[in-house]
């Protein structure tokens, strides 16, 4: 049964990539697929929301408070 092992690696000088894992046994045959990352590995919550469809309705807490105050007044 095949087991997938996902490892993130940084390309070293000369285009070298080193993979080490205690899950790999010496002499074991493996298939290796390399796919370049398209986006940064981590984004802040604000970056994720900014890129989401529809974007955020309010940009600040003050805008939220003003909206809620107006809704309560009506």
């Amino acid at each position: 049964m095949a087991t997938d092992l996902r490892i993130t690696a940084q390309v070293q000088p000369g285009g070298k990539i080193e993979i080490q894992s205690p899950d790999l046994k010496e002499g074991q045959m493996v298939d290796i697929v390399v796919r370049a990352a398209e986006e940064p590995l981590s984004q802040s919550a604000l970056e994720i929301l900014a890129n989401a469809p529809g974007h955020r309705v309010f940009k600040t807490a003050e805008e939220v408070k003003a909206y809620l105050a107006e809704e309560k007044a009506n």
Side-chain angles (χ1 to χ4, degrees):
M1 177 169 75
T3 301
D4 290 346
L5 175 65
R6 185 179 187 106
I7 297 175
T8 301
Q10 185 173 24
V11 178
Q12 302 298 313
K16 295 180 183 179
I17 300 172
E18 185 173 318
I19 300 172
Q20 293 180 329
S21 172
D23 297 329
L24 299 173
K25 295 178 180 35
E26 187 174 331
Q28 177 182 7
M29 297 299 293
V30 297
D31 293 322
I32 299 172
V33 177
V34 177
R35 180 180 65 218
E38 295 179 10
E39 295 185 27
L41 295 178
S42 62
Q43 292 181 311
S44 73
L46 291 177
E47 290 171 324
I48 293 169
L49 290 172
N51 293 326
H55 304 286
R56 295 182 295 168
V57 176
F58 306 106
K59 296 187 190 288
T60 66
E62 289 74 24
E63 290 180 8
V64 174
K65 289 176 186 175
Y67 173 79
L68 292 175
E70 184 179 327
E71 286 294 308
K72 288 179 184 177
N74 293 327

